[in-house]
Amino acid sequence: LAALGVIFGASLSWSVAATASEPGRAYFVTTTRAWELALGGLIAIGAPTLGRFNHRALVNSAGIVGVAGIIYAGTAYSSTTPFPGWAALIPTMSTAALIGAGTASQAAPATRVLGWQPLQQIGTLSYSLYLWHWPLILVARTLQDPLDPRLGLAVVILSAVPAWLTFRLVEQPIRHADRLIRPPSRGLAFGAGCTFVGVGASLFLSASVPEVPRVAGDISSGPITNSSGHLIVPESADVLLPDPLRAADDIPSVYEQGCHQNQDEGEALVCTLTAPGGTMVVLVGDSHAAQWIPAIEQVAREKGWQLLTYTKSACQYADVPMAIVGEATINQSCQDWNFNVTREIVGLRPDLVITTGAFWPRLVQQPGQLMDPSSRARELEGGLERRWSEILQANLRLAVVRDTPYLRVDVPECVVENRKSLLSCSVPLGEAMEGNSPQLAPAARLGIPLGDFTEYLCTTELCPAVIGPFLVWRDTHHITATYARQGLSGPVRSWLEELLEE
């Protein structure tokens, strides 16, 4: 119990921290998911005690809460839900409650329903179904993409056939083979052999794939516009920067340096990215501010400016209560961070403060109020205006960058699957820019200069996945550090020069 408890706590903490900074990696890395297995172990150890538990009301409640939690996660979560992190607690703890209710001596109504024989058979095949349904869906997507929901459902149902065959002909015979049970050492040796075969195969495949450098000299400074000034949007590409398979790691340097604050802490972490002295520029905001660091840093180094950054995951630089991602509770650390950062910036007296942030009004919370999307958006605009006014009242210069498009498509994954038809990974401009302009109104009211670089990210019709030789997006809504540096530093330089020469 103690060992599993330590694993549970440490892994969950790491999962929350990693999800806030690198959600793509957090989803797959074992260390961020081990707490879920540890919870299963805790339930298994507690099974004898639960088996003697006969408090009917609590057992019934646990079963109902478990089913409700699983249904809620399955219907409320979307591709925008940061996962695993805190969000994974709801389906995982709900499953634990359901298993616990089924283990108790007084079976809950929910577990009696789930004990229905057809559902038991699905449960018996669940792991085989898990292994088979996804590759079959990927095969179906080569025939029809996007996949029609009816065809997708049919593929999932048909996956029961190979799942049943492998369960009966492979899984069960191996599990119950006497030769692998007695002596136990034979089974352990067989398992170790299978593991080595899998590891060896993966190493062979990794070595067989041509190495694609992060920055290739022949295309690292490739143009992003043609002679007419229009963005170059290729229909296909064999080599891209960054490599789509590594795009999730193509992030600003502040993540590696540990000065991009996580979602749970309120300390004002600062990164000094260029040498002290000369013009001082401060960038402040959430991860959508951090994505501009490679472009601004390159300009600062060329100009001899001092660049400092204050960034924090899922926290707008705004005077408005924000919720923790995936939860309904107020993120007090965001409010603390805002206060601490503002105090430090005012004390520094920089020559220019730059800010921006993601348009996520769904995170805006007002205690005791039920808020619709439009009222949340208004509250966010008001919060931005109040926070920016504090900087202006301190007689500091402030500039705002308009928020970037939100593609709602996992761009690197799409590009990997559609290298010969990259335009299929593009999103219409109107859809990508829908509602992402919270900075416009408050900036206009306060007379703050606004940098709008949308024309370097989208054409007049669509926001592409690839521009020139560069992969623009590292996920659904963050710019790759490579494109920020190579494709955006030029227009950012012109904008900053104009601001600082006024």
Side-chain angles (χ1 to χ4, degrees):
L1 283 172
L4 289 173
V6 170
I7 293 172
F8 179 90
S11 174
L12 177 59
S13 300
W14 179 240
S15 177
V16 171
T19 300
S21 59
E22 298 180 80
R25 174 176 292 181
Y27 187 88
F28 292 105
V29 174
T30 303
T31 51
T32 62
R33 311 303 295 267
W35 65 271
E36 300 172 58
L37 297 174
L39 180 60
L42 291 170
I43 290 291
I45 291 175
T49 302
L50 291 171
R52 295 189 297 270
F53 192 75
N54 59 6
H55 196 296
R56 184 178 295 276
L58 286 179
V59 171
N60 292 347
S61 298
I64 293 171
V65 169
V67 171
I70 292 170
I71 293 174
Y72 170 78
T75 55
Y77 288 7
S78 69
S79 59
T80 63
T81 303
F83 201 89
W86 290 116
L89 274 173
I90 293 179
T92 309
M93 296 299 290
S94 297
T95 302
L98 191 57
I99 294 173
T103 307
S105 58
Q106 296 288 336
T111 57
R112 286 198 294 270
V113 171
L114 293 173
W116 185 39
Q117 190 60 31
L119 295 181
Q120 289 286 298
Q121 291 299 317
I122 294 175
T124 300
L125 291 177
S126 61
Y127 191 71
S128 298
L129 285 168
Y130 164 73
L131 292 178
W132 276 105
H133 85 283
W134 188 243
L136 292 179
I137 285 178
L138 290 180
V139 171
R141 284 181 62 184
T142 64
L143 303 175
Q144 183 188 88
D145 193 15
L147 199 61
D148 180 85
R150 291 170 295 182
L151 178 57
L153 179 60
V155 171
V156 172
I157 294 173
L158 288 174
S159 66
V161 175
W164 182 83
L165 289 173
T166 52
F167 176 77
R168 292 297 300 271
L169 302 178
V170 180
E171 188 176 332
Q172 288 296 85
I174 290 177
R175 178 183 296 157
H176 299 294
D178 288 339
R179 287 178 296 176
L180 298 179
I181 297 174
R182 290 186 291 271
S185 58
R186 188 179 297 165
L188 292 173
F190 179 77
C194 290
T195 301
F196 284 126
V197 168
V199 172
S202 67
L203 292 175
F204 173 77
L205 288 173
S206 297
S208 301
V209 176
E211 182 72 13
V212 180
R214 281 183 179 270
V215 177
D218 57 337
I219 65 170
S220 62
S221 58
I224 67 169
T225 59
N226 56 26
S227 57
S228 301
H230 298 121
L231 293 180
I232 299 173
V233 182
E235 294 186 5
S236 64
D238 293 323
V239 179
L240 291 171
L241 290 178
D243 178 359
L245 295 174
R246 299 188 183 127
D249 296 324
D250 197 54
I251 55 180
S253 58
V254 292
Y255 291 91
E256 183 178 346
Q257 295 182 32
C259 48
H260 176 77
Q261 185 58 276
N262 61 45
Q263 191 178 334
D264 303 312
E265 303 295 330
E267 180 186 358
L269 298 180
V270 60
C271 252
T272 303
L273 299 180
T274 55
T279 299
M280 181 188 292
V281 177
V282 170
L283 174 70
V284 57
D286 59 11
S287 62
H288 275 220
Q291 68 183 346
W292 290 94
I293 289 174
I296 299 174
E297 182 179 3
Q298 180 161 313
V299 176
R301 292 188 186 281
E302 294 172 1
K303 295 288 186 180
W305 298 341
Q306 181 181 3
L307 175 61
L308 284 72
T309 65
Y310 293 91
T311 56
K312 175 176 167 63
S313 289
C315 178
Q316 280 270 16
Y317 187 57
D319 182 15
V320 63
M322 305 288 288
I324 298 173
V325 173
E327 299 184 18
T329 54
I330 299 273
N331 187 352
Q332 183 59 43
S333 73
C334 184
Q335 294 176 287
D336 295 341
W337 178 84
N338 265 267
F339 175 81
N340 294 331
V341 165
T342 302
R343 183 176 57 186
E344 289 205 12
I345 291 175
V346 171
L348 286 170
R349 311 296 305 171
D351 297 281
L352 179 65
V353 179
I354 305 170
T355 187
T356 187
F359 182 62
W360 281 11
R362 62 186 176 84
L363 294 183
V364 174
Q365 294 283 346
Q366 287 294 355
Q369 295 184 26
L370 291 175
M371 304 177 68
D372 57 32
S374 60
S375 61
R376 292 179 190 273
R378 288 193 299 272
E379 285 290 333
L380 178 55
E381 288 187 9
L384 292 171
E385 187 168 345
R386 289 189 293 273
R387 184 65 69 212
W388 298 348
S389 294
E390 292 184 56
I391 298 297
L392 298 177
Q393 289 166 6
N395 294 318
L396 297 176
R397 299 187 68 183
L398 178 66
V400 174
V401 176
R402 185 180 185 180
D403 190 22
T404 49
Y406 186 9
L407 273 67
R408 299 175 177 85
V409 172
D410 191 319
V411 173
E413 179 181 338
C414 182
V415 167
V416 167
E417 297 175 356
N418 300 278
R419 281 186 178 270
K420 300 302 180 182
S421 56
L422 295 176
L423 291 178
S424 63
C425 300
S426 301
V427 175
L429 176 63
E431 180 181 332
M433 297 295 289
E434 183 180 359
N436 82 325
S437 307
Q439 298 98 345
L440 300 187
R445 285 194 292 267
L446 296 173
I448 299 172
L450 180 77
D452 187 348
F453 300 97
T454 306
E455 64 181 299
Y456 300 98
L457 296 166
C458 306
T459 68
T460 56
E461 297 178 352
L462 54 83
C463 296
V466 175
I467 296 176
F470 303 111
L471 179 68
V472 181
W473 308 95
R474 60 181 165 92
D475 51 24
T476 60
H477 58 99
H478 288 102
I479 304 169
T480 62
T482 297
Y483 186 72
R485 187 182 303 110
Q486 301 286 353
L488 297 175
S489 59
V492 167
R493 179 189 300 108
S494 300
W495 182 61
L496 291 178
E497 287 175 345
E498 183 179 347
L499 286 175
L500 290 170
E501 289 175 2
E502 291 178 353

